Amino acid sequence: MKRVILFAGHYGSGKTNIAVNYALHMAKAGLPTAFLDIDIVNPYYRAKDSEELLAQNGIEFISSEYANSNVDVPALPDEIYAVLDRPEQYYVLDVGGDDRGALALGRLSPGIAEENNFEMLFVYNASRPLTSDTEGALEVADEILAACHLPFTGIVNNTNIGKETTAETVIAGYEKAKAVADAMGLPIVMNTVRADLVPALEEKIPDLFPLTLQNKRLYGAQS
């Protein structure tokens, strides 16, 4: 288990939900875990929705003070540098969607790279329009790399179409994910699926990681 686990991908790839689930996985394994939300792109659907759940599992939560408000300000707290200052702590980072969101990671990249105890995971969803083929996925990955200067070390296949996702959806996405992985020269480290789909897939796709979907609230909506 690497000390710093980063999840990055295009808008709607599902990286935030995966990051929350993975932080819970690490905490249940007995690792002192903190969650760092550096997604400055979308102030509405983000990890702060799960702050209480994370706290209940002993996971420290760090994010912008503007998270889940009507103020979309690309500001991050000084606590983000704890990743570099607390080598005994394990961290899960939710990196912002595509290149604009990945810019925030650039502040931490040199220190993370120097320590070299990280996994930078590209979250791939074959059902998203801009990453539905290998060329589009590679373009998004290259944009993120150029913005944050931290190389990807693996791929997370998170192909889904929300509540309409079936086992067949995941299997088709896995084949596309393998093509992306081959083109990037990286392994698929896990295939993330809704927990209820695991029985239908466990003999067909390797490295399944079951997900419990995060509750999402639209802040600022009229009641």
Side-chain angles (χ1 to χ4, degrees), residues 107-219:
R107 304 185 198 177
L108 302 174
S109 294
I112 293 174
E114 182 177 0
E115 183 188 34
N116 195 26
N117 190 11
F118 71 93
E119 291 282 3
M120 175 72 168
L121 302 177
F122 179 59
V123 179
Y124 172 73
N125 184 348
S127 297
R128 298 297 298 172
L130 294 182
T131 55
S132 60
D133 56 29
T134 300
E135 182 179 358
L138 293 178
E139 183 176 344
V140 170
D142 286 344
E143 289 175 353
I144 294 172
L145 176 60
C148 72
H149 306 291
L150 201 64
F152 286 107
T153 61
I155 293 173
V156 175
N157 172 34
N158 188 48
T159 298
N160 72 90
I161 48 176
K163 294 180 180 179
E164 305 302 318
T165 305
T166 64
E168 289 70 28
T169 306
V170 179
I171 292 170
Y174 176 56
E175 294 304 316
K176 289 188 174 184
K178 287 194 292 184
V180 173
D182 288 343
M184 294 178 70
L186 297 174
I188 298 176
V189 299
M190 55 181 157
N191 292 280
T192 50
V193 296
R194 282 199 331 262
D196 61 289
L197 292 176
V198 170
L201 292 167
E202 56 189 352
E203 294 185 1
K204 299 177 181 178
I205 294 181
D207 303 312
L208 289 175
F209 185 85
L211 297 176
T212 299
L213 299 184
Q214 168 183 224
N215 291 325
K216 295 180 178 181
R217 294 170 287 176
L218 180 59
Y219 286 74

Side-chain angles (χ1 to χ4, degrees), residues 37-164:
D37 179 5
I38 58 173
D39 186 348
I40 61 173
V41 174
N42 190 338
Y44 297 116
Y45 296 113
R46 55 193 310 172
K48 193 169 178 65
D49 291 333
S50 295
E51 182 177 7
E52 183 176 347
L53 174 63
L54 293 169
Q56 290 170 353
N57 285 271
I59 299 170
E60 180 182 0
F61 183 83
I62 303 169
S63 73
S64 167
E65 64 180 297
Y66 299 105
N68 281 354
S69 71
N70 287 325
V71 181
D72 188 7
V73 177
L76 290 170
D78 291 338
E79 287 87 346
I80 66 169
Y81 294 102
V83 174
L84 307 177
D85 298 335
R86 296 159 62 185
E88 75 287 351
Q89 185 85 20
Y90 286 77
Y91 285 88
V92 173
L93 275 68
D94 178 13
V95 181
D98 62 41
D99 58 335
R100 188 162 71 94
L103 282 171
L105 178 58
R107 304 185 198 177
L108 302 174
S109 294
I112 293 174
E114 182 177 0
E115 183 188 34
N116 195 26
N117 190 11
F118 71 93
E119 291 282 3
M120 175 72 168
L121 302 177
F122 179 59
V123 179
Y124 172 73
N125 184 348
S127 297
R128 298 297 298 172
L130 294 182
T131 55
S132 60
D133 56 29
T134 300
E135 182 179 358
L138 293 178
E139 183 176 344
V140 170
D142 286 344
E143 289 175 353
I144 294 172
L145 176 60
C148 72
H149 306 291
L150 201 64
F152 286 107
T153 61
I155 293 173
V156 175
N157 172 34
N158 188 48
T159 298
N160 72 90
I161 48 176
K163 294 180 180 179
E164 305 302 318

